[in-house]
Amino acid sequence: MEKLQNQIGLNMLEQNLINKHRYKKISPQKLFIDGDWVNGTGENFDIVSPIDGKPFTSIARATVADMNKAIKSARTAFEKGLWSNMAPAHRKKILHKLADLIERDALELTVLGVRDNGTEINMAINAEAGSAAGTFRYYAECIDKVYGEIAPTANNVLGLIHKEPVGVVGAIVPWNFPLMIGAWKIAPALAAGNSIVLKPAETASLSLLKIAELASEAGVPEGVLNIITGQGSVVGKAMGLSMDVDVLAFTGSGPTGRRLLEYSAQSNMKRCYLELGGKSPNIVFSDAPDLDQAAKVSAMAIFRNSGQVCVAASRLIIEDEIHDDFIRKVIKHANLLKVGDPLDLSSDVGAINSKIQLRSNLKFVDVAKEEGADILTGGNQILQNTGGYYMEPTVVTNVSPNSTLFKDEVFGPVLAVSKFKSESEAITLANGTEFGLSAGIWTSNLSKAHQMVSKVNAGVVNVNTYGGADVTVPLSGVKQSGNGADKSMHALDKYINLKTAWIQL
């Protein structure tokens, strides 16, 4: 990660280098199956850039037959031991090589992804390519550091606990950070010795298709990594129903996660690990160490990437005595943000991923008004003349705990604000949704901070900051935000089977 930042730090990125890649013609994309690029059996469909609303390439609309072919390829590669039986030291070198190649092509990968999904490049260069390279390096180093166990038994018995790869991993990733989240699935699954079939989101497939090319260049054997694009209702369903996928790792919406659980039950009862988003509370006490800094971070915690972040601090819960002043500070920072072309280095916030998502965001604002909330700033589509999909950072106050905006995930630049008078009320508000992914707490009181960490139902709790947790710690949800963990050594548990050998001596 540091190497990448030194090579392509934001202060060194020049607009002409970005533009060199932004206008590059992208040929119609194929599927990556068994180490080769193949045409899908369905027709390609256009990819529309959220930057200007214009199509700039197409990807394959894979069919069930295509998905089954990819799964068969992954199974064959696993059974042959092309990767699973490879010496750990050799697998380690290949994953390090892949990280090197991601760093080499970091700007190209980032611009490709931004054209696809609209994330501002200032954020994407490190959140996407930088994060992916760091993740592959982290799990490369894990490969030769995961040991089996010897159980404490009687002297005439040897109890061995082996850790083995599960087999074929199916992964489905969303459009907001395809490279980062894709690496969270691919890297630990490969480190554990598995084969993978990955389905990117329809509106953000291009950078992950490029990763398949780099993986092949790095030396990942044929069939070990397969990329299938297309509709989730077709190929995602086929993956979920497959009798030959052993583990399914998914990041996305709750309704889709529920369907995947049903598909698992209808097929081979494959293990499903689901990260299903959140409605994360950001609690600001009057004794926060620096209210100006808290306001700035709180604004970025919801408005970066146009709020299209699973851990976005979309509910701001402020102590009553500082409510009005703190909101003014947040609005000040929100109004300073420049929303615009995500490939322009002067833009602070990029585009909404799609026309459908933009309409959904605006509908939430309309519903909030109908339910009695106040729109203090934003709430509108902007830059319509570009043809792209852009929305103002939006701050909504007087949001009732029973309202739609308080409970439902928007996945857009819309901040719901509530206030509290007591610590117990803050906890009640924080825990007042079906989600439990992330949370923030701002206080100078160490005792209060520890108590809040314990009482707030979230997989990640930030204190006097928001975001920035790296690959060394897990991201895991509670309640309806999902199960299992991405990142850290704990992520390996999803892709490993435990096998006991009980040996009578």
Side-chain angles (χ1 to χ4, degrees), residues 198-445:
L198 183 137
K199 195 204 89 66
E202 294 92 317
T203 56
S205 297
L206 300 179
S207 58
L208 285 168
L209 288 167
K210 178 68 175 178
I211 287 294
E213 176 186 317
L214 298 183
S216 181
E217 183 179 347
V220 175
E222 296 176 355
V224 173
L225 174 62
N226 305 270
I227 310 289
I228 298 295
T229 58
Q231 294 172 289
S233 59
V234 177
V235 288
K237 180 178 181 179
M239 179 186 286
L241 287 171
S242 173
M243 297 295 291
D244 221 11
V245 171
D246 301 295
V247 163
L248 189 60
F250 169 75
T251 296
S253 71
T256 301
R258 287 179 173 84
R259 285 194 291 272
L260 292 174
L261 288 172
E262 292 173 359
Y263 300 152
S264 171
Q266 293 167 19
S267 55
N268 61 344
M269 299 186 70
K270 59 181 65 64
R271 303 203 300 264
C272 292
Y273 297 104
L274 311 172
E275 195 265 88
L276 305 176
K279 190 70 178 177
S280 299
N282 188 25
I283 307 164
V284 182
F285 287 95
S286 59
D287 65 354
D290 185 338
L291 289 173
D292 288 323
Q293 177 67 8
K296 181 178 181 180
V297 173
S298 295
M300 293 310 297
I302 176 61
F303 299 131
R304 61 180 180 173
N305 198 25
S306 295
Q308 299 167 137
V309 183
C310 58
V311 297
S314 55
R315 289 187 297 142
L316 182 57
I317 302 172
I318 312 169
E319 192 162 8
D320 182 70
E321 63 184 88
I322 62 167
H323 176 274
D324 293 351
D325 183 54
F326 193 78
I327 283 300
R328 282 192 290 269
K329 294 177 186 292
V330 171
I331 291 175
K332 175 185 175 182
H333 289 294
N335 290 338
L336 288 173
L337 297 173
K338 178 185 175 182
V339 181
D341 182 346
L343 287 174
D344 186 331
L345 285 171
S346 68
S347 295
D348 301 302
V349 178
I352 305 299
N353 176 257
S354 67
K355 184 182 293 187
I356 292 174
Q357 187 63 38
L358 175 60
R359 288 174 178 169
S360 174
N361 295 347
L362 296 171
K363 178 64 175 176
F364 270 102
V365 175
D366 291 338
V367 171
K369 292 177 184 177
E370 294 169 2
E371 294 181 345
D374 298 320
I375 314 301
L376 293 194
T377 189
N380 302 300
Q381 180 182 2
I382 56 174
L383 304 176
Q384 290 96 322
N385 62 306
T386 66
Y389 317 128
Y390 301 90
M391 183 176 175
E392 296 173 306
T394 303
V395 177
V396 185
T397 59
N398 295 323
V399 176
S400 163
N402 297 317
S403 67
T404 302
L405 190 58
F406 187 91
K407 292 180 175 295
D408 292 353
E409 184 178 38
V410 178
F411 221 64
V414 182
L415 178 62
V417 183
S418 305
K419 56 186 174 181
F420 67 92
K421 291 185 177 180
S422 67
E423 188 175 322
S424 62
E425 185 181 6
I427 294 167
T428 298
L429 289 170
N431 295 336
T433 75
E434 65 187 28
F435 298 106
L437 188 59
S438 185
I441 297 162
W442 298 83
T443 179
S444 294
N445 187 315

